[in-house]
């Protein structure tokens, strides 16, 4: 949700803080601020709006000092405003805090602190933190933070500085991501690697309830009991320019075009013709797979839509019952879980709060957990029994694209791995699917080269307030993702429907001129889907239809047809979603929307 950074060293802190925050705006961008300590004085500069507003303010009123913290916000408590922006300070102005997460018991803490004489000026939950730290401060800022955190409930990644100890930066995390960057006589904290990548490639990943004390001499990591922890340094191998636009107008467009490479990378070493499926360090055995009676796929948003495809693939290929669940609902319905249950947790960031909570519930009840994530060292990857990484590279745009298609590849790999171990498919059948999977990057490149039909449809339909996406089987799963993309970045209301359900009420919404996107890639129900398309065109809908190359008869029932390279129907979602991503992109850009930072949204949802 929010992004935090911190710096201690010998250079001016402000330039790094601003630069680091610019790499984290995908996590929140309704306000920003920094706090820097210089000569025993704390100076805070913060304001509502994009980071550029803060930069302008600092140009006119520089913030000097070699120790500082910064924050870019996605509001949860209190509307975006100058006063509600982070960093927040204690009543006396000696302690400053940046915070990502939610303090669930902040009201009771706030009432207690008010009785102790503390004053509050904002609507945020975060303001209790510096005041609570102040209450416990007796000359040791680390000890005070430890005591304050023990009283807080919720999720948090926190950075703390104080004028009383101007050579220390203290940080801690619980359920929200935080890394420590290791430089030459300078050290950093950040919510994500891109914030520090121009300065260091060596980082520590903090685990829950781990504290870090940064000084100009080094870094010390401690447990909540105060015991020092030795950690392995993680060396980042991808380039800093992977998190830059690289000549594209928007990150989203860049990431759409990066999908062929991301697909190849995710299949590398895992899908090899003539060799068994390889799942990195996954240790689940053939016997354990055969004993699985039920699989839950747990995810949110776009990852949930990947899970819908995963359910279809695992059930069809491995013949294991699969339930796909929205993570935020899963743990509140007392799900049936035991030792014969496998839970697959899907999260781009690996920090999604609801998915992480579902994972922990499943483990408590004895289930085995496999994580699918894009972030090495993330909470979900560390807490799962096994992890399958999607090698998509950094995804900066809030609306997910390459993370989704690589999650699909991960689902197919797991489904084939299970089928291989259970013997539900012959070697010939597995090899056919593998061969076709290896052609997907090239076929995705073909899809990207022919975007004129999508642009044409967008230019004629961007003014619509409502749109509908239709599909059957796997096409319905893709329709849901296409609809979400359109909603996220263009603010056009759209809904996805299983086309066979039209006559059960939905068709009442169709009137002359209604814009409809129809997917018809599932050959066993192709004729039925064409009939469903006729039902809406008969009532005046304007339809953009998608089908495999060679199925030109669809042109008789749609206003515009778009063809994708032919592949196995089970793999069609990887290709058919790409033009829907482009459609959402073009709709949004024509309307003048901020494609990479859509309103009210953030990249990583680390609170419920």
């Amino acid at each position: 949700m929010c992004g935090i950074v911190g710096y201690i060293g010998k250079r001016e802190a402000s330039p790094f803080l601003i630069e680091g925050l610019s790499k984290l705006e995908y996590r929140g961008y309704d306000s920003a601020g920094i706090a820097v300590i210089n000569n025993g004085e704390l100076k805070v500069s913060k304001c509502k709006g994009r980071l550029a507003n803060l930069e302008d303010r600092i140009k006119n009123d520089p913030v000097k000092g070699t120790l500082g913290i910064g924050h870019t916000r996605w509001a949860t408590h209190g509307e975006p405003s100058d006063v509600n922006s982070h960093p927040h300070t204690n009543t006396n102005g000696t302690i400053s805090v940046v915070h990502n997460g939610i303090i669930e018991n902040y009201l009771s803490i706030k009432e207690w602190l008010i009785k102790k004489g503390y004053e509050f000026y904002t609507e945020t939950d975060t303001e209790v933190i510096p005041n609570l730290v102040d209450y416990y401060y007796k000359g040791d800022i680390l000890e005070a933070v430890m005591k304050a955190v023990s009283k807080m409930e919720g999720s948090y990644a926190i950075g703390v500085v104080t004028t009383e100890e101007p050579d220390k930066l203290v940080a801690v995390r619980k359920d929200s991501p935080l890394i420590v960057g290791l430089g030459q006589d300078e050290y950093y904290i950040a919510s994500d690697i891109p914030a520090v990548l121009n300065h260091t490639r060596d980082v520590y990943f903090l685990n829950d309830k781990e504290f870090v004390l940064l000084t100009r001499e080094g870094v010390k990591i401690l447990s909540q009991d105060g015991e020092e922890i030795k950690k392995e340094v993680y060396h980042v191998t991808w380039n800093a320019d992977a998190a830059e636009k690289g000549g594209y107008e928007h990150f989203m467009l860049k990431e759409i075009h990066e999908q062929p490479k991301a697909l190849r990378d995710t299949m590398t070493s895992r899908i090899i013709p003539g060799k068994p499926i390889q799942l990195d360090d996954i240790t689940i055995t053939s016997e354990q797979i055969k004993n699985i009676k039920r699989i839950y796929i747990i995810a949110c948003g776009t990852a949930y839509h990947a899970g819908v495809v995963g359910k279809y693939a695992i059930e069809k290929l491995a013949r294991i019952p699969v339930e796909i669940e929205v993570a935020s609902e899963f743990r509140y319905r007392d799900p049936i879980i035991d030792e014969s249950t496998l839970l697959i947790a899907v999260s781009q960031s690996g920090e999604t709060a609801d998915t992480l909570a579902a994972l922990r519930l499943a483990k408590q009840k004895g289930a085995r957990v496999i994580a699918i994530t894009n972030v090495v060292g993330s909470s979900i990857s560390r807490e799962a029994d096994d992890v399958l990484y999607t090698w998509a590279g950094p995804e900066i745009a809030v609306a997910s694209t390459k993370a989704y298609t690589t999650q699909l590849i991960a689902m197919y790999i797991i489904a084939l791995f299970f089928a291989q171990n259970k013997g539900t498919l012959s070697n010939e059948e597995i090899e056919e699917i593998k061969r076709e999977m290896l052609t997907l990057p090239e076929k995705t490149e073909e899809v990207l080269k022919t975007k004129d039909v999508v642009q044409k449809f967008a230019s004629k339909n961007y003014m619509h307030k409502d749109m509908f996406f239709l599909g059957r089987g796997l096409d319905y799963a893709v329709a849901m993702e296409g609809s979400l993309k359109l909603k996220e970045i263009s603010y056009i209301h759209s809904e996805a429907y299983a086309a066979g359900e039209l006559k059960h009420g939905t068709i009442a919404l169709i009137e002359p001129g209604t814009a409809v996107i129809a997917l018809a890639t599932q050959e066993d129900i192709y004729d039925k889907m064409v009939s469903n398309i006729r039902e809406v065109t008969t009532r005046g809908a304007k339809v953009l239809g998608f089908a495999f190359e060679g199925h030109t008869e669809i042109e008789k029932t749609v206003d515009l047809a778009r063809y994708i390279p032919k592949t196995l129907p089970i793999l069609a979602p990887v290709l058919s979603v790409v033009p829907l991503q482009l459609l959402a992109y073009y709709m949004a850009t024509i309307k003048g929307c901020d494609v990479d930072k859509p309103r009210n949204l953030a990249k990583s949802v680390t609170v419920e």
Side-chain angles (χ1 to χ4, degrees):
M1 40 184 313
C2 303
I4 69 174
V5 293
Y7 172 84
I8 184 167
K10 298 178 179 179
R11 295 183 294 154
E12 287 292 327
S14 293
F16 164 75
L17 297 177
I18 294 298
E19 177 194 340
L21 292 178
S22 72
K23 309 296 185 185
L24 298 178
E25 272 201 294
Y26 70 91
R27 299 182 61 84
Y29 36 83
D30 57 44
S31 57
I34 64 172
V36 175
I37 293 178
N38 188 35
N39 294 324
E41 294 186 3
L42 175 68
K43 183 165 184 179
V44 177
S45 183
K46 58 183 184 176
C47 57
K48 176 183 176 180
R50 295 293 172 84
L51 184 62
N53 296 347
L54 178 64
E55 290 184 83
D56 290 340
R57 179 169 292 189
I58 291 173
K59 286 178 183 177
N60 296 325
D61 187 12
V63 180
K64 299 288 186 178
T66 58
L67 167 65
I69 51 179
H71 188 276
T72 181
R73 184 173 186 243
W74 183 64
T76 56
H77 291 69
E79 66 180 7
S81 68
D82 287 2
V83 69
N84 287 331
S85 304
H86 293 222
H88 291 293
T89 59
N90 61 327
T91 301
N92 295 329
T94 58
I95 297 171
S96 188
V97 169
V98 289
H99 166 223
N100 170 31
I102 288 179
I103 307 304
E104 294 175 353
N105 62 334
Y106 83 98
L107 282 175
S108 61
I109 294 175
K110 184 175 182 178
E111 291 170 0
W112 180 75
L113 287 169
I114 289 173
K115 292 177 182 177
K116 298 291 183 181
Y118 288 89
E119 298 178 2
F120 290 82
Y121 306 97
T122 79
E123 303 169 283
T124 70
D125 57 329
T126 301
E127 195 179 7
V128 303
I129 302 175
N131 285 304
L132 192 59
V133 171
D134 178 83
Y135 176 81
Y136 287 112
Y137 186 72
K138 299 294 185 289
D140 187 330
I141 188 61
L142 175 60
E143 181 181 351
V145 172
M146 285 181 162
K147 288 182 178 180
V149 164
S150 71
K151 303 298 181 182
M152 299 187 318
E153 299 172 4
S155 63
Y156 45 80
I158 299 169
V160 184
V161 295
T162 176
T163 57
E164 300 298 320
E165 297 178 77
D167 57 350
K168 293 180 180 179
L169 193 166
V170 174
V172 59
R173 66 151 286 175
K174 176 180 174 288
D175 298 334
S176 292
L178 193 65
I179 60 114
V180 178
L182 310 173
Q184 294 294 325
D185 298 322
E186 55 186 8
Y187 303 94
Y188 317 84
I189 62 168
S191 296
D192 201 356
I193 290 172
V196 304
L197 203 52
N198 284 333
H199 304 272
T200 181
R201 290 179 174 274
D202 293 329
V203 302
Y204 290 136
F205 294 110
L206 293 188
N207 294 321
D208 276 355
K209 296 184 179 179
E210 288 184 345
F211 296 78
V212 58
L213 173 64
L214 297 89
T215 67
R216 291 175 178 83
E217 285 70 46
V219 171
K220 183 183 291 187
I221 300 174
L222 303 106
S223 70
Q224 60 185 330
D225 298 321
E227 297 181 358
E228 189 167 354
I229 299 170
K230 298 299 182 184
K231 277 192 175 288
E232 183 178 344
V233 175
Y234 177 77
H235 184 73
V236 181
T237 57
W238 42 273
N239 294 324
D241 59 8
E244 301 296 339
K245 290 181 183 176
Y248 288 92
E249 186 175 355
H250 298 97
F251 279 113
M252 183 179 179
L253 186 61
K254 173 178 179 276
E255 289 157 10
I256 290 172
H257 282 81
E258 287 175 340
Q259 287 177 114
K261 181 181 185 301
L263 298 177
R264 287 191 188 96
D265 290 346
T266 301
M267 287 189 283
T268 294
S269 78
R270 296 162 174 170
I271 300 291
I272 301 173
K275 293 186 178 182
I277 302 292
Q278 298 296 319
L279 289 188
D280 304 329
D281 296 324
I282 288 182
T283 58
I284 190 168
T285 65
S286 295
E287 191 62 30
Q288 289 170 327
I289 292 171
K290 291 173 183 175
N291 289 331
I292 295 171
K293 294 180 179 178
R294 177 191 290 110
I295 295 175
Y296 290 110
I297 299 176
I298 305 300
C300 303
T302 286
Y304 173 84
H305 297 152
V308 175
V309 176
K311 167 184 167 67
Y312 185 98
I314 294 171
E315 289 189 339
K316 184 174 181 62
L317 303 182
R319 309 309 293 166
I320 304 174
V322 180
E323 296 182 40
I324 170 70
E325 297 255 8
V326 174
S328 58
E329 297 294 325
F330 179 71
R331 66 189 173 116
Y332 296 112
R333 66 165 186 79
D334 194 17
I336 300 170
I337 304 172
D338 57 26
E339 291 79 5
S340 65
T341 303
L342 174 71
L343 184 137
I344 301 176
V346 190
S347 167
Q348 183 277 142
S349 67
E351 303 292 347
T352 310
D354 293 312
T355 307
L356 191 56
L359 178 157
R360 289 168 176 164
L361 173 66
K363 292 196 71 173
Q364 288 170 10
K365 291 179 174 286
R368 190 179 186 92
V369 176
I370 294 177
I372 297 176
T373 182
N374 192 43
V375 180
V376 174
S378 58
S379 295
I380 286 173
S381 72
R382 292 196 305 273
E383 296 193 28
D385 297 294
D386 301 292
V387 59
L388 184 64
Y389 288 110
T390 57
W391 299 116
E395 190 180 64
I396 305 302
V398 168
S400 182
T401 52
K402 62 178 179 174
Y404 171 78
T405 48
T406 54
Q407 286 166 356
L408 296 184
I409 295 297
M411 287 295 184
Y412 294 136
I413 291 173
I414 288 175
L416 286 173
F417 182 75
F418 287 177
Q420 173 183 283
N421 281 272
K422 288 192 68 184
T424 51
L425 292 179
S426 68
N427 287 336
E428 291 75 17
E429 290 171 318
I430 291 175
E431 287 301 313
E432 180 188 10
I433 296 172
K434 286 163 59 180
R435 282 194 301 271
E436 193 57 39
M437 285 179 68
L438 291 170
T439 70
L440 291 175
E442 181 181 348
K443 290 178 178 177
T444 303
E445 289 172 349
E446 292 179 35
V447 174
L448 290 167
K449 289 176 183 176
T450 56
K451 52 195 177 188
D452 52 322
V453 173
V454 174
Q455 285 179 297
K456 182 178 179 182
F457 187 85
S459 66
K460 292 184 177 181
N461 291 278
Y462 69 92
M463 73 295 295
H464 283 284
K465 293 183 178 180
D466 302 279
M467 288 183 64
F468 299 99
F469 289 73
L470 302 178
R472 301 187 72 141
L474 282 173
D475 283 337
Y476 174 46
V478 177
M480 287 192 287
E481 175 60 14
S483 175
L484 177 62
K485 283 290 144 302
L486 188 69
K487 279 184 273 201
E488 283 181 307
I489 64 171
S490 75
Y491 317 138
I492 296 172
H493 170 256
S494 64
E495 298 294 339
Y497 292 101
E501 283 290 289
L502 277 172
K503 293 184 288 294
H504 297 277
T506 307
I507 203 166
L509 297 171
I510 302 298
E511 57 187 22
T514 300
V516 174
I517 312 299
L519 298 162
T521 69
Q522 300 303 295
E523 295 185 336
D524 58 336
I525 48 176
Y526 175 79
D527 292 337
K528 292 184 182 297
M529 185 62 204
V530 170
S531 295
N532 296 141
I533 296 172
R534 286 197 183 99
E535 289 171 352
V536 297
T537 56
T538 298
R539 289 159 177 82
K542 301 299 181 184
V543 180
L544 170 59
F546 293 89
F548 282 143
E549 290 174 345
H551 284 225
T552 55
E553 62 272 21
I554 196 175
E555 295 177 13
K556 299 175 183 178
T557 58
V558 301
D559 296 272
L560 279 173
R562 172 75 171 84
Y563 300 104
I564 63 173
K566 193 164 185 179
T567 187
L568 295 176
I570 196 171
L571 303 178
V574 177
L575 301 178
S576 60
V577 76
V578 176
L580 303 190
Q581 296 167 346
L582 289 166
L583 176 65
Y585 174 80
Y586 291 125
M587 287 279 203
T589 53
I590 292 170
K591 289 183 65 179
C593 300
D594 190 336
V595 173
D596 288 334
K597 302 182 181 72
R599 67 190 182 203
N600 303 332
L601 300 180
K603 185 68 177 171
S604 179
V605 183
T606 55
V607 296
E608 286 194 67

